[in-house]
Amino acid sequence: QVQLVEFGGRWVQTGGSLNLSCAASTRTFGALSVGWFRQAPGKDREFVAAINWSGGMTYYSDSVKGRFTISRENAKNTVYLQMNVLNAEDTAVYFCAAAYLSARADFRAQYEYNYWGQGTQVTVSS
């Protein structure tokens, strides 16, 4: 089974930036599509961003588009989430998820992903 571990979550001031990383333990990382999801207390987990196996296709929720950037570095088995212009609504536990998805999969849907990390806390405040 693929193991995923998130790093980089911390407190950050409103308007600041933060970079999260997701490290995967697998021999087939290059075939995995990876997504980022987040969950705030009392709220459902929601889609944030995703990237396909090649890195050629990326997807973002409307709330983060233009502020967040997802990327991958296959040589390091790592996916990144660069978050800029952070606000209080970005406060949540951020989860990395992965699956072997086809091009016709719904990259924004949680049900598509069968491997999940434990999450990393991001807190944004003034």
Side-chain angles (χ1 to χ4, degrees), residues 33-37 47-52 57-61 70 81 107-108 113:
S33 292
V34 179
W36 284 96
F37 297 81
F47 170 77
V48 176
I51 189 166
N52 76 335
M57 296 295 295
T58 57
Y59 310 83
Y60 299 94
S61 67
I70 188 170
L81 183 68
F107 287 80
R108 294 176 170 83
Y113 299 88

Side-chain angles (χ1 to χ4, degrees), residues 47-101:
F47 170 77
V48 176
I51 189 166
N52 76 335
W53 66 271
S54 70
M57 296 295 295
T58 57
Y59 310 83
Y60 299 94
S61 67
D62 290 340
S63 64
V64 308
K65 191 174 182 64
R67 298 189 299 123
F68 291 11
T69 301
I70 188 170
S71 63
R72 66 190 298 157
E73 191 170 359
N74 287 358
K76 294 185 177 181
N77 275 29
T78 301
V79 167
Y80 304 96
L81 183 68
Q82 177 64 49
M83 306 185 293
N84 300 322
V85 198
L86 288 163
N87 57 63
E89 298 304 307
D90 297 315
T91 295
V93 175
Y94 283 70
F95 297 90
C96 177
Y100 298 99
L101 303 181

Side-chain angles (χ1 to χ4, degrees), residues 2-5 22-26 29 32 34 76-79 98:
V2 175
Q3 294 181 327
L4 304 171
V5 181
C22 172
S25 296
T26 176
F29 183 77
L32 283 171
V34 179
K76 294 185 177 181
N77 275 29
T78 301
V79 167

